[in-house]
Amino acid sequence: ALAAAAAEWERAGATALWVGVEGDCAGALRCEDALRATAPGAVASLRKRGAEVVMLTGDNQGSALRVAQACDIPRGNVMAGMTPARKMEEVVGRVAKLEAAAGGPKSLRRRFIGRGTLAMVGDGINDAPALGAADVGIAMGVAGSAAAMETADVALLTNDLSRVAEAIAIGHMCLVKIRQNIAFSIIAKGIVLVLSLMGYTGLWEAVVADVGTALVVILNGMTVLSGVKESKEQANEVEGCVSKAVENELPARTHAHSHGGAACNHGHSDAGGAGTGGGGARGHA
């Protein structure tokens, strides 16, 4: 009977824990993690940016599929019951496929255009090997283990998964600014060089053009700061809305106790923690 109940729990997305007393099975416990409130939005943001999201988890199949369904992750991109070694092998294999699709490390396409990038997001010690094998390892810093944070390339000091999409957006923005600055500098200096060789500009004009180009490049690079500020403000607004929604959904709870013979009533509002334990969802882009 216990085995049937445990199997039913796992199919429903829970994890069964067995209790033994002196070598005999005495019972079973059902554990079920709460989905992080920002997880579905984070997956949607990553997809909007053209990323493929894959879940690698050590949880059972039922738990993984329940989370994947809530986050709208295709069933084919869900891999459950994975050990740390299997996670690392999967990451290494996907990196090799990206490298092969780009024509190899010595191809012209690889050198000038690049290839797709694989990012691994994790917080546990069992994610450390995969974080090290990925192109970019991202550790969730608040609940993350020390091994994961030391292995990862990026540590996000928050449990908000939407910060992953924000970090990718900032990275793309920086690349755009770098390319703009390089192109502008080459064109501006090339024009000044041609005009100097033709005798239309002198030393002072060339100096002013050089200083002006440097100022334009600096100011254009500083526009990244405004983009980061806007992203933080939007994230704070979303986080505030989520917190209010959770508080409104959960009813208030009242309990009574006494202080030195005087009755005292307190009202409490429970806000459920948003987290995934036991090797929860791992996103790959």
Side-chain angles (χ1 to χ4, degrees), residues 24-46:
D24 296 327
C25 181
L29 301 175
R30 172 174 176 166
C31 298
E32 189 170 349
D33 292 330
L35 181 69
R36 290 181 180 175
T38 56
V43 173
S45 298
L46 290 172

PDB file of all heavy atoms in Angstrom, residues 24-46:
ATOM      1  N   ASP A  24      13.430  -1.592   9.277  1.00  0.00           N
ATOM      2  CA  ASP A  24      12.086  -1.887   8.773  1.00  0.00           C
ATOM      3  C   ASP A  24      11.417  -0.597   8.309  1.00  0.00           C
ATOM      4  O   ASP A  24      11.616   0.472   8.900  1.00  0.00           O
ATOM      5  CB  ASP A  24      11.226  -2.539   9.852  1.00  0.00           C
ATOM      6  CG  ASP A  24      11.777  -3.894  10.273  1.00  0.00           C
ATOM      7  OD1 ASP A  24      12.359  -4.580   9.397  1.00  0.00           O
ATOM      8  OD2 ASP A  24      11.638  -4.240  11.460  1.00  0.00           O
ATOM      9  N   CYS A  25      10.632  -0.716   7.253  1.00  0.00           N
ATOM     10  CA  CYS A  25       9.899   0.446   6.730  1.00  0.00           C
ATOM     11  C   CYS A  25       8.745   0.786   7.660  1.00  0.00           C
ATOM     12  O   CYS A  25       7.863  -0.043   7.900  1.00  0.00           O
ATOM     13  CB  CYS A  25       9.391   0.137   5.321  1.00  0.00           C
ATOM     14  SG  CYS A  25       8.508   1.518   4.576  1.00  0.00           S
ATOM     15  N   ALA A  26       8.773   2.014   8.180  1.00  0.00           N
ATOM     16  CA  ALA A  26       7.743   2.432   9.127  1.00  0.00           C
ATOM     17  C   ALA A  26       6.741   3.406   8.526  1.00  0.00           C
ATOM     18  O   ALA A  26       5.687   3.649   9.114  1.00  0.00           O
ATOM     19  CB  ALA A  26       8.391   3.070  10.356  1.00  0.00           C
ATOM     20  N   GLY A  27       7.041   3.968   7.380  1.00  0.00           N
ATOM     21  CA  GLY A  27       6.100   4.907   6.780  1.00  0.00           C
ATOM     22  C   GLY A  27       6.746   5.668   5.631  1.00  0.00           C
ATOM     23  O   GLY A  27       7.878   5.387   5.225  1.00  0.00           O
ATOM     24  N   ALA A  28       6.008   6.616   5.115  1.00  0.00           N
ATOM     25  CA  ALA A  28       6.487   7.428   3.996  1.00  0.00           C
ATOM     26  C   ALA A  28       5.984   8.847   4.155  1.00  0.00           C
ATOM     27  O   ALA A  28       4.895   9.077   4.720  1.00  0.00           O
ATOM     28  CB  ALA A  28       6.019   6.846   2.668  1.00  0.00           C
ATOM     29  N   LEU A  29       6.791   9.807   3.699  1.00  0.00           N
ATOM     30  CA  LEU A  29       6.424  11.211   3.751  1.00  0.00           C
ATOM     31  C   LEU A  29       6.352  11.773   2.336  1.00  0.00           C
ATOM     32  O   LEU A  29       7.118  11.366   1.461  1.00  0.00           O
ATOM     33  CB  LEU A  29       7.447  12.017   4.556  1.00  0.00           C
ATOM     34  CG  LEU A  29       7.655  11.596   6.011  1.00  0.00           C
ATOM     35  CD1 LEU A  29       8.778  12.411   6.629  1.00  0.00           C
ATOM     36  CD2 LEU A  29       6.368  11.765   6.802  1.00  0.00           C
ATOM     37  N   ARG A  30       5.445  12.698   2.128  1.00  0.00           N
ATOM     38  CA  ARG A  30       5.298  13.347   0.826  1.00  0.00           C
ATOM     39  C   ARG A  30       5.825  14.777   0.909  1.00  0.00           C
ATOM     40  O   ARG A  30       5.407  15.549   1.778  1.00  0.00           O
ATOM     41  CB  ARG A  30       3.830  13.360   0.396  1.00  0.00           C
ATOM     42  CG  ARG A  30       3.567  14.191  -0.852  1.00  0.00           C
ATOM     43  CD  ARG A  30       2.150  14.058  -1.327  1.00  0.00           C
ATOM     44  NE  ARG A  30       1.887  14.923  -2.476  1.00  0.00           N
ATOM     45  CZ  ARG A  30       0.818  14.822  -3.254  1.00  0.00           C
ATOM     46  NH1 ARG A  30      -0.096  13.903  -3.004  1.00  0.00           N
ATOM     47  NH2 ARG A  30       0.656  15.644  -4.271  1.00  0.00           N
ATOM     48  N   CYS A  31       6.755  15.111   0.017  1.00  0.00           N
ATOM     49  CA  CYS A  31       7.317  16.461  -0.051  1.00  0.00           C
ATOM     50  C   CYS A  31       7.052  17.039  -1.432  1.00  0.00           C
ATOM     51  O   CYS A  31       7.195  16.341  -2.438  1.00  0.00           O
ATOM     52  CB  CYS A  31       8.822  16.445   0.214  1.00  0.00           C
ATOM     53  SG  CYS A  31       9.279  15.840   1.851  1.00  0.00           S
ATOM     54  N   GLU A  32       6.686  18.305  -1.450  1.00  0.00           N
ATOM     55  CA  GLU A  32       6.375  18.952  -2.724  1.00  0.00           C
ATOM     56  C   GLU A  32       6.871  20.398  -2.682  1.00  0.00           C
ATOM     57  O   GLU A  32       6.552  21.143  -1.751  1.00  0.00           O
ATOM     58  CB  GLU A  32       4.873  18.915  -2.995  1.00  0.00           C
ATOM     59  CG  GLU A  32       4.485  19.370  -4.384  1.00  0.00           C
ATOM     60  CD  GLU A  32       3.026  19.090  -4.693  1.00  0.00           C
ATOM     61  OE1 GLU A  32       2.387  18.351  -3.896  1.00  0.00           O
ATOM     62  OE2 GLU A  32       2.519  19.611  -5.697  1.00  0.00           O
ATOM     63  N   ASP A  33       7.676  20.773  -3.663  1.00  0.00           N
ATOM     64  CA  ASP A  33       8.233  22.118  -3.712  1.00  0.00           C
ATOM     65  C   ASP A  33       7.237  23.096  -4.330  1.00  0.00           C
ATOM     66  O   ASP A  33       6.422  22.724  -5.178  1.00  0.00           O
ATOM     67  CB  ASP A  33       9.523  22.137  -4.543  1.00  0.00           C
ATOM     68  CG  ASP A  33      10.646  21.381  -3.860  1.00  0.00           C
ATOM     69  OD1 ASP A  33      10.646  21.348  -2.623  1.00  0.00           O
ATOM     70  OD2 ASP A  33      11.505  20.829  -4.560  1.00  0.00           O
ATOM     71  N   ALA A  34       7.343  24.352  -3.909  1.00  0.00           N
ATOM     72  CA  ALA A  34       6.527  25.417  -4.500  1.00  0.00           C
ATOM     73  C   ALA A  34       7.289  26.050  -5.660  1.00  0.00           C
ATOM     74  O   ALA A  34       8.503  26.273  -5.571  1.00  0.00           O
ATOM     75  CB  ALA A  34       6.192  26.476  -3.455  1.00  0.00           C
ATOM     76  N   LEU A  35       6.602  26.298  -6.738  1.00  0.00           N
ATOM     77  CA  LEU A  35       7.223  26.912  -7.911  1.00  0.00           C
ATOM     78  C   LEU A  35       7.518  28.380  -7.623  1.00  0.00           C
ATOM     79  O   LEU A  35       6.696  29.096  -7.048  1.00  0.00           O
ATOM     80  CB  LEU A  35       6.286  26.799  -9.113  1.00  0.00           C
ATOM     81  CG  LEU A  35       6.791  27.375 -10.432  1.00  0.00           C
ATOM     82  CD1 LEU A  35       7.948  26.537 -10.960  1.00  0.00           C
ATOM     83  CD2 LEU A  35       5.669  27.429 -11.449  1.00  0.00           C
ATOM     84  N   ARG A  36       8.705  28.817  -8.020  1.00  0.00           N
ATOM     85  CA  ARG A  36       9.042  30.231  -7.850  1.00  0.00           C
ATOM     86  C   ARG A  36       8.097  31.090  -8.677  1.00  0.00           C
ATOM     87  O   ARG A  36       7.814  30.793  -9.842  1.00  0.00           O
ATOM     88  CB  ARG A  36      10.485  30.481  -8.277  1.00  0.00           C
ATOM     89  CG  ARG A  36      11.504  29.883  -7.322  1.00  0.00           C
ATOM     90  CD  ARG A  36      12.914  30.168  -7.764  1.00  0.00           C
ATOM     91  NE  ARG A  36      13.894  29.594  -6.845  1.00  0.00           N
ATOM     92  CZ  ARG A  36      15.195  29.619  -7.041  1.00  0.00           C
ATOM     93  NH1 ARG A  36      15.690  30.179  -8.139  1.00  0.00           N
ATOM     94  NH2 ARG A  36      16.013  29.077  -6.167  1.00  0.00           N
ATOM     95  N   ALA A  37       7.638  32.163  -8.082  1.00  0.00           N
ATOM     96  CA  ALA A  37       6.635  33.000  -8.744  1.00  0.00           C
ATOM     97  C   ALA A  37       7.168  33.622 -10.032  1.00  0.00           C
ATOM     98  O   ALA A  37       6.403  33.893 -10.965  1.00  0.00           O
ATOM     99  CB  ALA A  37       6.170  34.104  -7.788  1.00  0.00           C
ATOM    100  N   THR A  38       8.474  33.843 -10.112  1.00  0.00           N
ATOM    101  CA  THR A  38       9.048  34.502 -11.290  1.00  0.00           C
ATOM    102  C   THR A  38       9.488  33.517 -12.374  1.00  0.00           C
ATOM    103  O   THR A  38       9.953  33.953 -13.431  1.00  0.00           O
ATOM    104  CB  THR A  38      10.273  35.344 -10.874  1.00  0.00           C
ATOM    105  OG1 THR A  38      11.218  34.503 -10.206  1.00  0.00           O
ATOM    106  CG2 THR A  38       9.854  36.471  -9.938  1.00  0.00           C
ATOM    107  N   ALA A  39       9.372  32.210 -12.114  1.00  0.00           N
ATOM    108  CA  ALA A  39       9.873  31.218 -13.071  1.00  0.00           C
ATOM    109  C   ALA A  39       9.150  31.271 -14.425  1.00  0.00           C
ATOM    110  O   ALA A  39       9.809  31.315 -15.472  1.00  0.00           O
ATOM    111  CB  ALA A  39       9.790  29.822 -12.470  1.00  0.00           C
ATOM    112  N   PRO A  40       7.809  31.257 -14.482  1.00  0.00           N
ATOM    113  CA  PRO A  40       7.154  31.302 -15.793  1.00  0.00           C
ATOM    114  C   PRO A  40       7.502  32.554 -16.595  1.00  0.00           C
ATOM    115  O   PRO A  40       7.748  32.482 -17.806  1.00  0.00           O
ATOM    116  CB  PRO A  40       5.654  31.263 -15.444  1.00  0.00           C
ATOM    117  CG  PRO A  40       5.599  30.627 -14.098  1.00  0.00           C
ATOM    118  CD  PRO A  40       6.824  31.091 -13.388  1.00  0.00           C
ATOM    119  N   GLY A  41       7.549  33.705 -15.932  1.00  0.00           N
ATOM    120  CA  GLY A  41       7.905  34.937 -16.625  1.00  0.00           C
ATOM    121  C   GLY A  41       9.339  34.930 -17.110  1.00  0.00           C
ATOM    122  O   GLY A  41       9.641  35.447 -18.194  1.00  0.00           O
ATOM    123  N   ALA A  42      10.245  34.330 -16.323  1.00  0.00           N
ATOM    124  CA  ALA A  42      11.643  34.262 -16.732  1.00  0.00           C
ATOM    125  C   ALA A  42      11.813  33.392 -17.971  1.00  0.00           C
ATOM    126  O   ALA A  42      12.556  33.746 -18.896  1.00  0.00           O
ATOM    127  CB  ALA A  42      12.490  33.709 -15.586  1.00  0.00           C
ATOM    128  N   VAL A  43      11.112  32.257 -18.014  1.00  0.00           N
ATOM    129  CA  VAL A  43      11.183  31.379 -19.187  1.00  0.00           C
ATOM    130  C   VAL A  43      10.624  32.087 -20.411  1.00  0.00           C
ATOM    131  O   VAL A  43      11.192  32.019 -21.509  1.00  0.00           O
ATOM    132  CB  VAL A  43      10.425  30.067 -18.918  1.00  0.00           C
ATOM    133  CG1 VAL A  43      10.349  29.220 -20.188  1.00  0.00           C
ATOM    134  CG2 VAL A  43      11.110  29.277 -17.813  1.00  0.00           C
ATOM    135  N   ALA A  44       9.514  32.805 -20.236  1.00  0.00           N
ATOM    136  CA  ALA A  44       8.919  33.534 -21.362  1.00  0.00           C
ATOM    137  C   ALA A  44       9.864  34.625 -21.869  1.00  0.00           C
ATOM    138  O   ALA A  44       9.987  34.832 -23.086  1.00  0.00           O
ATOM    139  CB  ALA A  44       7.584  34.148 -20.932  1.00  0.00           C
ATOM    140  N   SER A  45      10.551  35.307 -20.958  1.00  0.00           N
ATOM    141  CA  SER A  45      11.494  36.357 -21.370  1.00  0.00           C
ATOM    142  C   SER A  45      12.675  35.775 -22.146  1.00  0.00           C
ATOM    143  O   SER A  45      13.126  36.354 -23.136  1.00  0.00           O
ATOM    144  CB  SER A  45      12.004  37.110 -20.135  1.00  0.00           C
ATOM    145  OG  SER A  45      10.946  37.748 -19.453  1.00  0.00           O
ATOM    146  N   LEU A  46      13.167  34.620 -21.702  1.00  0.00           N
ATOM    147  CA  LEU A  46      14.280  33.982 -22.404  1.00  0.00           C
ATOM    148  C   LEU A  46      13.859  33.549 -23.810  1.00  0.00           C
ATOM    149  O   LEU A  46      14.612  33.697 -24.769  1.00  0.00           O
ATOM    150  CB  LEU A  46      14.778  32.778 -21.609  1.00  0.00           C
ATOM    151  CG  LEU A  46      15.501  33.096 -20.292  1.00  0.00           C
ATOM    152  CD1 LEU A  46      15.764  31.824 -19.503  1.00  0.00           C
ATOM    153  CD2 LEU A  46      16.810  33.820 -20.557  1.00  0.00           C
TER     154      LEU A  46
END
